Amino acid sequence: MSTTPPVLAAELAVAWADIQRHHPELPDLAAPESLIGESSSACGTELSFERLLHEAVHGIAAARGIRDTSRAGRYHNRRFLTIADEMGLDHADEPHPSSGFSLVVMRPDTRKRYRATIERLQRALKAHSAATTADTARSFRGPAARHGSSGGGVRVKAVCDCGRNVRVVPSVLAQAPIMCGACGQPFRIPEVVGVA
């Protein structure tokens, strides 16, 4: 299996099409490659099938003309929650203070419905990750890596216990804690639980 971004983008498009099969009003995914290499600050997870379902909720909300978020897209309201429920996603009983109902997870029956698609996408994501994180002595990493700076690398979401979050290059956070000005606790990168 090739691990180039166009191949992963194609796998994302196939997975999206499978979601559309069950939810025909879901619009087409305009640019699947835009999801590669970025995490969602709203849903707090790396790219996965569960993340696609989260994005599909937003797609259906847009198709219906429903405003499902506020606070520049960070707070997911009860309208988001209603559509997430239709899509087979569970949620906490109470909203998070800063992100609302953004943290949704697949129900067992949803996971079963999409099992083959989930497995196929997981293989593509794993292969893509292995290809893009391989670090050999012959790899050119640029001057930033040679001088120990972050080099403006890929930023991920780091959170603190009070619910605030920042985008940070992991190597910068590894150098020393970044403290939250609101609660005084360090920001941390949450562990991502893979799809079983």
Side-chain angles (χ1 to χ4, degrees), residues 53-54 57-58 78-91 101 104-105 107 110:
L53 283 175
H54 177 112
V57 172
H58 292 303
R78 291 195 183 274
R79 291 180 292 270
F80 172 87
L81 193 59
T82 299
I83 300 169
D85 187 57
E86 291 175 31
M87 302 286 293
L89 297 168
D90 274 334
H91 54 84
F101 294 103
V104 291
V105 295
R107 292 186 194 124
T110 306

Side-chain angles (χ1 to χ4, degrees), residues 33-52:
E33 61 277 359
S34 68
L35 296 172
I36 300 171
E38 81 177 44
S39 63
S40 170
S41 62
C43 66
T45 60
E46 295 297 322
L47 186 55
S48 66
F49 188 78
E50 197 165 73
R51 160 90 186 279
L52 282 182

Side-chain angles (χ1 to χ4, degrees), residues 150 154 156-160 166-180 185-190:
S150 68
V154 176
V156 297
K157 178 182 174 185
V159 299
C160 72
V166 295
R167 293 284 192 159
V168 62
V169 177
S171 62
V172 170
L173 192 59
Q175 293 172 9
I178 298 173
M179 307 307 283
C180 175
Q185 296 298 311
F187 283 93
R188 61 183 167 67
I189 299 171

